[in-house]
Amino acid sequence: MGFPSSGTFEVDLVFPRNATYTPQALMPVVWALQKPSMAPPLASYITWSLWEGNNHSSPGSIDGGLIELRDEDPADERLISKFFNTMEYPDGYWTLTWSLELSNCSQYTGPSHTLTRSGSTVFTIHKSGQEPDLVAATSASQCGAMEAYAFNVTSFGSACGHLGLTPTTNPCAVNISSSAASSLYASATASACAPNTPVNPNVTCPTSTSTSSASNSASRSRIATAPALLMLLVWGINLILIG
């Protein structure tokens, strides 16, 4: 698939916001890429960190997260999600910091230069909080509160982009439907339940197909054996009567 020759590339932090949420076994962090096909030729990536309280090494913290935006996605929008467990830390505030980095070759004749845009948000976890709602986060009444960075790419160089004047961001162009939100959670559940993944006791994992098949096979075996046992019983009774 070919890359676009120019356009506006935008990254939006959809969730979380500066609000209070209930404890979650799968608490989402979601970014949206607008014109995601422009991400690979810009050599772009996201770094992120998350910590509870004011201690970067506190239990549950995530440091040095890296998301490389290499996929050639022809869609107008792409969602990127990460999930973490706040059930073990039901009360307190969390800080999320993130940076978007891309290669900017504008006005340079030598090697391309890295352009960085950074954001952060502080949110609270408490039993009295609201449930995370990804659909509502992109509604007309809430979409304007997203952290967003947009870039006017006029052309591409070698693994970098030539940038024009900074465009106005348009976070309200992002839309997360109920089915899209469900898909993100289903993927997170599958990841949490994958073999060799540390057990999250607060995530309910679906019964595996192999286990169900084995159970069904055993049931069929018991059903098939019942008529044979009945025939043996009748045969034994007949022998007794004849004797």
Side-chain angles (χ1 to χ4, degrees):
M1 183 191 73
F3 297 121
S5 58
S6 62
T8 299
F9 174 58
E10 180 169 327
V11 178
D12 310 287
L13 176 64
V14 178
F15 195 89
R17 307 284 175 81
N18 183 11
T20 300
Y21 303 102
T22 55
Q24 299 289 316
L26 294 172
M27 179 70 178
V29 179
V30 181
W31 292 269
L33 307 185
Q34 297 189 48
K35 301 297 182 185
S37 60
M38 304 184 76
L42 289 171
S44 57
Y45 58 92
I46 293 172
T47 58
W48 65 290
S49 295
L50 179 75
W51 62 90
E52 190 269 335
N54 57 7
N55 183 0
H56 285 248
S57 60
S58 60
S61 297
I62 299 172
D63 189 29
L66 173 64
I67 304 171
E68 295 183 323
L69 308 178
R70 293 180 175 177
D71 292 343
E72 299 181 17
D73 193 335
D76 289 333
E77 176 184 305
R78 176 188 169 201
L79 299 175
I80 296 175
S81 60
K82 298 293 181 180
F83 289 80
F84 62 102
N85 180 14
T86 62
M87 295 293 288
E88 305 298 328
Y89 325 98
D91 295 297
Y93 68 91
W94 293 71
T95 301
L96 168 69
T97 62
W98 65 286
S99 294
L100 170 67
E101 302 197 23
L102 53 82
S103 293
N104 172 24
C105 49
S106 299
Q107 302 177 4
Y108 295 100
T109 56
S112 61
H113 290 237
T114 299
L115 177 64
T116 303
R117 294 289 182 267
S118 299
S120 65
T121 187
V122 177
F123 57 96
T124 303
I125 299 297
H126 194 272
K127 294 178 182 178
S128 64
Q130 58 185 292
E131 292 284 326
D133 190 337
L134 301 182
V135 176
T138 60
S139 65
S141 61
Q142 298 186 29
C143 60
M146 295 185 204
E147 284 186 329
Y149 299 105
F151 307 89
N152 175 21
V153 184
T154 58
S155 63
F156 290 100
S158 177
C160 63
H162 294 276
L163 305 182
L165 296 176
T166 302
T168 301
T169 58
N170 185 23
C172 289
V174 176
N175 176 61
I176 298 182
S177 64
S178 296
S179 60
S182 296
S183 179
L184 292 179
Y185 276 101
S187 178
T189 299
S191 179
C193 296
N196 302 321
T197 299
V199 175
N200 183 339
N202 300 300
V203 175
T204 301
C205 295
T207 304
S208 66
T209 303
S210 58
T211 301
S212 299
S213 298
S215 177
N216 291 337
S217 297
S219 298
R220 287 194 296 269
S221 177
R222 287 193 294 270
I223 293 172
T225 303
L229 291 175
L230 180 60
M231 290 180 64
L232 287 174
L233 179 60
V234 171
W235 180 71
I237 292 174
N238 288 336
L239 285 178
I240 293 172
L241 293 175
I242 293 172

